[in-house]
Structure formats: C-alpha cells, structure tokens
Amino acid sequence: MKKVPNTIYDFVFVGLGASNSLILLSLIQKGLHKNKQIAIFETESKSKNDKTYCFWAGPDDPIVRDLFTIITHRYNTIQVNQSSPQNIEKQPYNYIRSIDLYDHTLKKLNEEQIKINRMSVNNISCEDEIYSVHTNDHTYYASYIFDSRPPTIKLKEKNQVYLHQSFYGLHIKSSKNVFKENVFEMMNFNVDQNKFTQFIYVIPFSSNEALVELTRFGTDKIDIKYAYSILDNFILNDFGSYEILSDESGCIPMTTVINPSNLFKGVLNTGSSANLIKPSTGYGFKNMYSFAKLVSQRIESNKLEKFNKIALDSKARFKFYDKLLLLILLHWPSKGKLIFTSLFKKESILTVFSFLDEKSSLAQELKIFASLPFLPFLKALYLYFKNENWLRYFLAFFTIVLYLFLAKWNHQLATYFNFAVLITGLLYIGIPHGALDHLLTKNKSASLFLFILKYVSIIVLYFIFWQFYPLLALLLFISYSSFHFGESELVEHGEKLDSFAAHFKAFLMGISILFFIIFSHFEESLGIVGNLITFPLSNSAALNYLFSAKSAAFLSFIYLLIQSIRSKRQSYIGLMFLLILGIKIPLILAFGIYFIFQHSSNAWQHLKLGLNMNSVQLYKKASFFTLGALFFFLIIVFYANDFVTLEGFWANFFIFIACISFPHFLFMHIFYKTKIQQNLK
C-alpha cells in the first residue's frame, strides 16, 4: 500500500517575485488563505531595491486602490523624447519599488503566519494528482503549485524572435534642483544608439533626486561599464554634477515564443512563464496584477479543473503587431528610434497607453500605424509572411487569379501559362526536393554509384510494371503517394509518427487530399486515367460515378476540416486554402499548386532542418540528380506512343512522376523517422 504524506499543502509558491506576490496578496485580500496550508519557497532574502515596477492607471482603477500604500510616486505629466510635456491625469504613471512590494507582501505573510522557506526547488513531480516539490534536503507535497521559475527560451522555429530589453539605471542626487518632480521623461533618444535601439528614462523623486536609466532593445544585453559611461555623460551634460545613491540592472525577454501551459494539471506557471510580459515593450506588471485577480477568482469559485490552463485573454492582432515590431528591432534595430519617435509625436500619449494595454479599437490602431514610417513595417510584413509560410500562399493565389483571368481572355495563352507554372515549379522545387535522396540513406559510406544503380533499378522496374499492370500500378501509386503526402503534412503540423495509428492517420490525410483534388475534377481525371487503363462507361454509369465523385470530394474535405479544427494549428489553414483555390482551375494545375506550394515547399523546409543545410547547399547537392530525372523524362517521351493529345501527354507525365516518386517516398519515410521525428521528442 502506498504511503500517504502526512502534510499536503493546499498551495505551494515557488518563488516570491512580483507575480507570485500579487497572487498571494489577492488571496489574502479575499480571505482565501484561511484554513489553508500554504508553503513558499524563496532563496533570496531581499534587502535592496533591484528593480522598479511602473504602470499607467486611473486613480480609481483597482490596481491603484489595492497597491496605493506602496505607490511611492505618481506622475501626472509625461515628456517623451524631449517633446512638449503632456498631461496624463486620467492615466497617471505610477512607480513602485520592488523592495516595497516585497516588504508589503512579507508583512502580510507575517500577519497571517505564513512561513517562507529559504531553499531552492530542484524539480516538481506528480503521482496520483499529488505534487512533490523536491529541494536538496526534503520533499514537500501539494495539491496546487504556483511556479514562477523563469522559462528556458529556445527558438525552435525560424519564425520566432527573441530579443532582450536590458537596462542599467543610477539613482542619483544632483548638486542642483534640476528635476521637475511631477514630470516623468520617457524614451529620450538623445544618446548613442550603438546599432541598437537605446533610450533614457528619467524618473524624478524630488527636485534634485531621480532614477536615470539606460534601456536597450536588441539581441545583445547592455554592458554595465558601457551603460555607466553613457549615463555619466548624459547626466553631466543635462543635470550637472551628481552622486550615486544606488544602481539597478536587469533584463526582460522580448520574444514571440509562447510558453506552453505546465504539463501538470495542478501546476500553474506564473510571471514570464505565463506570457505576462508584453513582447514589444517589456511591460508586465499590470498583466501580473490582472492575472492574480483572475487566479483568485477561479479559486474563490472553485473552478480548478483546468488550473494549469489559467491565462489572460489576448487578442491575436496584438501578437501580430508585437511580432512586426520585434522583426524590425531584430533586422533593422536602428529604426526603433524613428518608429517610437513618430509614434509619440503624432499620437496622444493616452491613445498610445490604450494601444499598449491592448484596449484600443481597430480604428485607433489603423490611425496609429498610418502615423508610423511605412517602409520598415512593409519589410517586416514581408518577413512575417515569409517566415510564417504565408508568402507562398499569396503567390499561389496570385497564380490562380492570373490563370483565371487569362482563361477568360485567351484560352490558348492560359494553357501556355499553365505549362509555364508547372515547369517552373517542378524545376525550382518539385524535382530538386526529390533529388536529395542520396543524402538520406542510412549508410553514408555506401558507394554513390551503387546508390544510383539501385535507385534507377527501382524506377525502371516500376516503369515496366506500369506497362503490363497499369491498374495495379495506379493503385500502388495512389497508396504510397497518400501516405507520403499525409506523412509530410503531419510532420509540418508538428505531430509525431511513432505508432500504427499515427501512420494510418497519415494515410487518411494524404488520400483525403488526393481524393479531393481528383474527385473535384472528376471528368478530367477520367480522361487522364482513360489513357492509362481501359474501362467502358455507359451514360447512366457515368452519372452515378459523377455523383459518387462529388460525395467523395465533399467527405474528403470534411475529414481535412475536422482534423484542422481538432489540431487547432494554423498550418492547416494554408492546406485548406490551396485545396479550395484549386476547385476552379484544371486538374493538373490544381495538383501542381498543391504539389509545388504545399508538399514540395514543406518537404524542402524539412530537408533544410534535418540535413542542417541552406537552400543554396541543397540546390548544389540536387543539381546532378535533377538533370537525371529530366533525362528519364526524355526517355519516356521517346518511348511513349501517345504524346500527341494533351490527355496523353499528362498521362505519360503522370507515369514519370509516379516512377521517380516511388523510391523517393521510401527514403523520405526513413528521413522523417530518423531525423525530423527526433526533433519532435
């Protein structure tokens, strides 16, 4: 029989930073700590002020009322980048010292006789919904845990951005009365940018005392010695001689990486791990306060079934805005000064505050973006669409629109355009992505000549099989193509292929894609298949088949739609988009659009990742085998009897694709199993 722990704490807090402090204060305020066993783990006994928490809020806002006693300064006037001061009485800028928040929390904890354990937590485990908090000497047990340990941020995808908001500040006392006590100076860019975005904050405490802080947005953290020299020069020039009372430094992540919820249902990530810091500004204190209120409400109403999933709502468009700005700061860091200067110059500060709080209207946001420099955001938008894989979908959309336009204007010209798109796409990425199979073999020391001999032998044998058993060859092609396409799609969606069920899902995914394309172009499909195999059809049978085809296309689309909804992944949207676009264009172009813009493009990215090569390196490796594939196509052209009609051409082209893709499917399956899937573990 399993031993039950003597003491199981109701709530355990790992860390006592701002976020966990605010949660504890909210629980105590509501009396939710009564009759509860609470344990807190914090190694640091804080005795000095190491950071400040600033936020704008109205005098009657709950955050101001709750924290009124520790708001040491409030500024009703703000000056941005040496511009004229603006009145912000409706949303004053509030200042809290971290040591004051900590002392305030400590006082409340002492009053409620809640002990702080001065020890570090090594790890958290779970068994039978009882959570174990492991320290060096003991194990503590809990029903619910608030974990504020900072996340380890790793960029797993090329579209993610990670920058630092690093800062160094001096709390100074000037020899003269040089500060306006009620005026907070924000983002003074009159300092060296040093190929980053850098600015000065001046927060006055009296006429001769202030915090003067240098902040940097960039890939590199600010160097303390460098920051001190900049601050020293700035203070001497603007305020004269001074003495240093204290200093502070820190770094806040500015990232598009979304930290997932804790894997344990009873463990809630807090602080930066709960995505409470706004990526584009580094502000997070108000979010932490709102998060604390949300958590206490859930505890009060006993809605804890999804404790680890508690999160603040965030509108998707603000994540998009944040990402655009971070892309600019990453690739063109010197543009930050221009953007922020334009923002505060052309918009009222209260409008900007509302925007940064994500409470602005769409009309306000459009007006804000209209006031900003156009070119940096256009470049960032291009990178965004490229990194998010949406650029290719725009290109596919443009291709189809242009084809439809040409088809109405000149059918012959549209046919030539169709050929041009397919030839260009196949030469650019379709064939090259399959011409890298020699890099995917497990036996790297094997002779390249033997590899080519085996590869060509498979192609030739399958081609011969087509000549004698076309129906079986066709069914085989549909089967392995379905699995290959589906496998590639599931890998793109980040799903593991480590079981029979997962492989069967890959097959269903692929065959649904093929069936939708084929059966939504049923008559064309019959024409091409008729050049491969012979089957008589009466008029009534043709009508029945047509009805069945439409039903099959509809069911295939429904299956893909269900998978898209269940997965909740945006990567499915592009696939569905291309399939729907293909309905109104010829079968071959519809298949080509999917094959080029979806399958081959995804596979190319997978190869870059798995082989750790860039596109130029891959093209060099693929060049010889791409020429070999074209040579094989010429052989089929020479051998085939029916290349005169258009349907005959596509039928033989279809056989060519089938033959070269058969060994490719085998090698890509091995590649996905041994290379890519390891990255998903």
Side-chain angles (χ1 to χ4, degrees):
M1 176 183 273
K2 183 184 172 183
K3 185 178 179 181
V4 179
N6 292 329
T7 301
I8 300 177
Y9 289 93
D10 295 286
F11 302 124
V12 164
F13 290 80
V14 180
L16 196 56
S19 188
N20 274 1
S21 292
L22 291 170
I23 293 172
L24 278 163
L25 290 173
S26 185
L27 293 180
I28 292 171
Q29 183 187 51
K30 288 177 174 287
L32 299 174
H33 65 296
K34 300 292 186 182
N35 303 317
K36 300 289 185 183
Q37 293 266 36
I38 297 176
I40 302 168
F41 295 88
E42 173 57 67
T43 57
E44 187 178 351
S45 180
K46 300 175 184 179
S47 58
K48 62 172 284 188
N49 186 63
D50 58 355
K51 62 177 68 73
T52 56
Y53 304 118
C54 296
F55 59 94
W56 45 85
D60 296 324
D61 286 356
I63 187 172
V64 174
R65 293 200 306 266
D66 288 346
L67 303 175
F68 183 81
T69 57
I70 58 172
I71 297 174
T72 55
H73 299 279
R74 187 174 293 105
Y75 304 94
N76 293 323
T77 306
I78 191 169
Q79 185 177 15
V80 183
N81 197 33
Q82 301 175 295
S83 62
S84 300
Q86 295 187 49
N87 185 291
I88 54 169
E89 286 184 350
K90 293 182 179 179
Q91 291 275 301
Y93 199 73
N94 298 274
Y95 173 94
I96 294 176
R97 301 192 313 159
S98 62
I99 189 64
D100 291 337
L101 174 64
Y102 181 76
D103 288 345
H104 177 64
T105 306
L106 191 61
K107 179 183 176 183
K108 292 289 185 182
L109 294 175
N110 288 334
E111 289 173 357
E112 303 301 327
Q113 298 181 340
I114 300 173
K115 178 185 174 184
I116 298 178
N117 299 285
R118 299 298 180 186
M119 58 186 75
S120 62
V121 171
N122 296 328
N123 67 293
I124 297 170
S125 62
C126 176
E127 187 175 351
D128 296 333
E129 296 188 4
I130 297 177
Y131 300 94
S132 302
V133 178
H134 304 278
T135 68
N136 288 334
D137 302 319
H138 300 284
T139 297
Y140 298 81
Y141 301 94
S143 298
Y144 298 99
I145 298 174
F146 300 88
D147 189 0
S148 69
R149 291 175 297 176
T152 301
I153 299 175
K154 293 182 179 179
L155 301 184
K156 295 183 178 180
E157 301 174 17
K158 66 176 183 178
N159 59 345
Q160 294 175 331
V161 182
Y162 182 29
L163 301 175
H164 303 286
Q165 181 184 147
S166 52
F167 56 88
Y168 179 69
L170 297 175
H171 181 178
I172 66 167
K173 187 173 184 179
S174 175
S175 59
K176 299 178 181 178
N177 295 329
V178 291
F179 301 114
K180 298 177 181 178
E181 295 184 41
N182 193 41
V183 180
F184 158 60
E185 186 173 7
M186 180 180 183
M187 284 191 164
N188 185 332
F189 285 98
N190 190 29
V191 289
D192 173 37
Q193 294 299 290
N194 195 29
K195 298 182 180 179
F196 295 100
T197 296
Q198 300 189 153
F199 49 88
I200 296 282
Y201 275 89
V202 180
I203 304 178
F205 305 132
S206 68
S207 60
N208 68 338
E209 192 177 325
L211 173 67
V212 185
E213 188 168 277
L214 177 65
T215 299
R216 170 188 288 180
F217 293 166
T219 52
D220 298 339
K221 296 179 183 179
I222 203 164
D223 178 74
I224 299 298
K225 289 183 179 179
Y226 165 81
Y228 175 79
S229 67
I230 295 293
L231 288 172
D232 181 61
N233 185 63
F234 179 86
I235 294 168
L236 289 174
N237 286 339
D238 282 39
F239 308 122
S241 59
Y242 67 97
E243 65 173 298
I244 299 174
L245 302 180
S246 64
D247 66 352
E248 67 174 45
S249 63
C251 185
I252 300 170
M254 302 175 71
T255 180
T256 59
V257 176
I258 304 298
N259 299 304
S261 302
N262 202 291
L263 295 176
F264 296 133
K265 293 181 179 180
V267 180
L268 178 65
N269 293 336
T270 63
S272 59
S273 294
N275 306 299
L276 299 177
I277 297 174
K278 187 169 175 61
S280 59
T281 63
Y283 281 106
F285 192 76
K286 285 178 75 173
N287 283 341
M288 292 179 190
Y289 173 82
S290 299
F291 184 70
K293 288 299 180 184
L294 176 62
V295 169
S296 62
Q297 287 170 9
R298 292 284 292 272
I299 293 173
E300 186 177 31
S301 58
N302 200 31
K303 294 180 179 179
L304 300 177
E305 62 278 1
K306 294 183 179 179
F307 181 75
N308 62 322
K309 302 286 186 182
I310 298 175
L312 293 180
D313 291 332
S314 180
K315 297 174 183 176
R317 69 177 189 271
F318 288 101
K319 290 186 175 67
F320 172 65
Y321 303 154
D322 286 338
K323 192 158 194 175
L324 289 184
L325 181 58
L326 290 188
L327 283 170
I328 293 171
L329 295 175
L330 174 65
H331 294 283
W332 307 280
S334 61
K335 297 296 183 183
K337 176 180 178 179
L338 175 62
I339 290 169
F340 287 110
T341 301
S342 299
L343 175 64
F344 290 109
K345 184 178 180 180
K346 297 180 180 179
E347 297 295 332
S348 75
I349 194 66
L350 293 179
T351 300
V352 175
F353 283 172
S354 178
F355 175 67
L356 296 179
D357 276 342
E358 302 187 359
K359 294 180 179 179
S360 54
S361 66
L362 187 58
Q364 287 176 315
E365 292 150 27
L366 292 174
K367 185 173 179 290
I368 287 172
F369 279 102
S371 69
L372 298 177
F374 177 72
L375 191 57
F377 281 94
L378 187 62
K379 290 179 179 178
L381 191 62
Y382 168 79
L383 286 178
Y384 175 83
F385 285 130
K386 181 181 178 182
N387 293 340
E388 295 286 341
N389 280 331
W390 286 106
L391 193 62
R392 53 176 159 148
Y393 297 119
F394 278 100
L395 184 58
F397 177 75
F398 175 77
T399 299
I400 291 172
V401 169
L402 184 54
Y403 172 83
L404 293 173
F405 172 77
L406 292 174
K408 283 196 172 184
W409 180 46
N410 188 313
H411 184 74
Q412 190 65 40
L413 191 59
T415 301
Y416 291 146
F417 178 75
N418 188 354
F419 274 100
V421 169
L422 293 173
I423 292 170
T424 302
L426 287 173
L427 291 178
Y428 175 68
I429 199 169
I431 295 176
H433 98 268
L436 294 164
D437 292 343
H438 62 290
L439 302 178
L440 311 183
T441 178
K442 284 185 177 180
N443 188 0
K444 301 297 182 184
S445 61
S447 166
L448 182 60
F449 174 77
L450 288 177
F451 170 83
I452 295 173
L453 184 62
K454 292 177 183 177
Y455 201 93
V456 172
S457 298
I458 295 173
I459 292 175
V460 171
L461 288 173
Y462 191 37
F463 178 71
I464 294 171
F465 188 63
W466 268 101
Q467 311 311 308
F468 291 96
Y469 305 101
L471 178 59
L472 291 177
L474 176 62
L475 293 175
L476 178 61
F477 172 70
I478 291 174
S479 298
Y480 73 71
S481 294
S482 295
F483 180 80
H484 178 54
F485 290 157
E487 185 178 44
S488 178
E489 290 294 335
L490 293 187
V491 168
E492 179 66 15
H493 305 322
E495 298 188 37
K496 294 182 180 180
L497 292 164
D498 53 1
S499 65
F500 173 79
H503 286 100
F504 185 65
K505 181 180 178 180
F507 175 77
L508 288 179
M509 175 72 65
I511 204 167
S512 296
I513 293 169
L514 278 179
F515 275 12
F516 181 79
I517 295 172
I518 291 170
F519 291 125
S520 61
H521 300 79
F522 181 63
E523 294 180 1
E524 291 178 81
S525 301
L526 283 182
I528 292 174
V529 173
N531 281 270
L532 300 172
I533 57 177
T534 303
F535 55 95
L537 273 182
S538 64
N539 290 336
S540 59
L543 288 174
N544 289 333
Y545 279 125
L546 181 60
F547 176 78
S548 299
K550 289 184 177 180
S551 300
F554 176 76
L555 292 175
S556 298
F557 185 81
I558 292 298
Y559 174 79
L560 293 172
L561 184 61
I562 290 172
Q563 292 302 319
S564 173
I565 294 171
R566 287 181 62 187
S567 72
K568 297 180 181 179
R569 293 179 182 268
Q570 291 186 356
S571 47
Y572 272 97
I573 298 174
L575 170 64
M576 308 296 287
F577 177 70
L578 289 183
L579 293 179
I580 293 172
L581 283 179
I583 293 175
K584 292 296 183 180
I585 57 178
L587 167 66
I588 297 300
L589 184 57
F591 179 78
I593 290 291
Y594 165 75
F595 183 74
I596 295 165
F597 291 98
Q598 182 74 5
H599 173 71
S600 299
S601 295
N602 286 344
W604 190 260
Q605 297 302 323
H606 301 159
L607 289 163
K608 286 172 66 177
L609 174 65
L611 298 174
N612 194 26
M613 294 184 183
N614 59 37
S615 290
V616 174
Q617 291 171 314
L618 291 183
Y619 277 122
K620 287 180 179 178
K621 298 287 186 181
S623 57
F624 174 77
F625 296 92
T626 300
L627 293 174
L630 296 176
F631 178 72
F632 180 71
F633 178 63
L634 293 177
I635 292 176
I636 292 182
V637 171
F638 178 79
Y639 175 83
N641 295 320
D642 187 8
F643 248 103
V644 179
T645 65
L646 187 61
E647 289 178 340
F649 170 84
W650 289 126
N652 285 282
F653 181 77
F654 180 82
I655 294 174
F656 159 70
I657 293 294
C659 290
I660 65 171
S661 65
F662 185 48
H664 168 66
F665 140 73
L666 298 172
F667 282 101
M668 283 298 288
H669 174 62
I670 295 170
F671 170 71
Y672 282 139
K673 187 176 181 180
T674 58
K675 288 282 188 181
I676 299 299
Q677 287 295 303
Q678 290 176 1
N679 294 327
L680 297 177
K681 292 180 180 179

